[in-house]
Amino acid sequence: AIRDDIFFFPNGLGHINCEGLGSHIEIECLPGAWSYDYFAAQAAYTRNLGKQVVYMTGRFHASWGDFGGLKSKASLEYDCWDAISNAITTSVGDHMHPRDGLEPEVYKTVSEVYTEIEKYEPWTDYARAVTEIGIIMPEGSSMGANNVDFPQGQTILNAAARMLGELKYTFDILDERADLSKYKVIILPDVIPVTQLLEGKLEQHLAKGGGIISSGSSGLNPEKTGFTMESWNMNYDGHDPWNASYFKMLMGDSKLIPDRLCAVYNQGILISDKSGAQVIADYYQPYFNREWDGFHGTFYTPPDKYSGHPAVLRSGDIFQIGFQLFTGYGEYAMPEHKYLLKFCLEQLLADPVLKFEHIPSTARVTVTAKENMEMIHIKVTYPELRGKYNVIEEHSVLHGGVVSIKGDSAKAVYIAPTQQPLAYELIDGYIRIPLPGIEGYMMVVVEH
């Protein structure tokens, strides 16, 4: 039944399992119910698989089959902006009533949204994402599968996408078979063993001056008896015995991570330094673990003392964070965890492709490119959790934002699709662009 002229996609098997199957890739995602982090992670993975990728959102307010629930126009616009911001195209899923057919009012809204999205096609058709950071996905994550065998994997990837999105870094999600050569920083989040295949790629990455950020048990060999690579230059001292603990930064921006103990919510491993390694943060243990004997519990576990172990070590261009940073952010979203990641990235990526000023963490800024153009996507609308659902009812507005993209010259800088020119200045290898007021979304084009 499957022929070259059939537009076919096997949904729910997991993208990693569908090599050689299907004409394209669809990311099924109803973000109101599934969370707005899900699509960001899926997009960062699927756009590197060599096929056209479609974001299949839905018209429904709740979930499939919600015939009486139509997403707001602002919500559908947001999903389409999400797609083109990630170099992906878009579709809107629906169900047909068995007696009455399709609902005209639904398609009136879809038509209004698509009429505007179509105007961006000169800049979105065949565009590619510009990325500098590669995140290695946990084995068993099965991106795109309906029945995920390893739910922590999806938590980790969603959290990584959210953290880097909030920090405005450009990234892809990869499995260890992928080509890592284009990335400046590789992240091994929480549970990534260094296999023989990955070891060779990481050695090449370090040899060309790339950086690595590893957390939790990542970096260990598959048997979890020690670090695989001598480049790590640190000791593995076993599994962390605590279930409540703390870290304290010894350097970094005190406005972001104050000079106090910060909670560790998801423990990992104990590490210690060798000669030449640098301690970035200390690790503090509690008086006792949290326990429950069926009648009495110990929940309040204040810090007792320095454990004798670092929480974060740096060896050359490798950062090892002893605890599960990404799982912790996915479950607790403590800003200090994100700022720890920001500190590590700033040491390894001093000149990112994109910089920004006066744009909040709720906004997303991405870069795509085609031919002689780079497109900067600034999306300032964001969802609000109402009850059980993430809702977008109207668009947010941003004033006074600034974006800077790496470059020494520009032929033209303008807003798409109107091609209204924007003033800019060249500063220290960047094209700095003060932005006008933005309602919801803006695409800024830099032509070279």
Side-chain angles (χ1 to χ4, degrees), residues 244-368:
S245 51
Y246 306 83
F247 73 97
K248 184 177 183 180
M249 292 292 288
L250 303 181
M251 55 189 69
D253 189 344
S254 61
K255 294 179 181 178
L256 298 179
I257 307 181
D259 185 23
R260 62 170 176 79
L261 298 186
C262 300
V264 171
Y265 295 108
N266 297 80
Q267 286 67 32
I269 63 175
L270 296 178
I271 54 178
S272 59
D273 54 306
K274 293 181 179 179
S275 177
Q278 181 183 22
V279 178
I280 304 299
D282 283 335
Y283 194 55
Y284 285 74
Q285 66 188 55
Y287 284 96
F288 38 75
N289 272 327
R290 290 177 176 166
E291 295 177 349
W292 173 250
D293 65 6
F295 186 69
H296 294 99
T298 54
F299 182 79
Y300 299 101
T301 52
D304 179 19
K305 60 186 178 182
Y306 169 58
S307 68
H309 295 272
V312 183
L313 278 173
R314 178 178 186 176
S315 177
D317 290 325
I318 299 172
F319 283 86
Q320 179 71 40
I321 301 165
F323 56 94
Q324 297 187 70
L325 182 77
F326 296 90
T327 303
Y329 197 79
E331 295 179 352
Y332 294 92
M334 189 170 84
E336 287 83 356
H337 289 188
K338 177 176 65 179
Y339 298 142
L340 169 56
L341 178 63
K342 181 176 188 289
F343 171 82
C344 297
L345 284 169
E346 287 175 341
Q347 314 314 303
L348 300 173
L349 194 56
D351 58 342
V353 68
L354 184 73
K355 293 183 178 181
F356 66 97
E357 303 165 44
H358 312 301
I359 299 179
S361 63
T362 50
R364 298 291 181 268
V365 184
T366 60
V367 181
T368 59

Side-chain angles (χ1 to χ4, degrees), residues 11 118 125 134 192 205 329 333 403 406 433 440:
N11 194 25
E118 186 178 21
D125 277 356
I192 310 297
H205 175 73
Y329 197 79
V403 291
K406 196 185 298 184
I433 310 165

Side-chain angles (χ1 to χ4, degrees), residues 3 63 184 199 317 320-321:
R3 307 188 307 271
S63 191
K184 294 183 177 179
E199 180 181 4
D317 290 325
Q320 179 71 40
I321 301 165

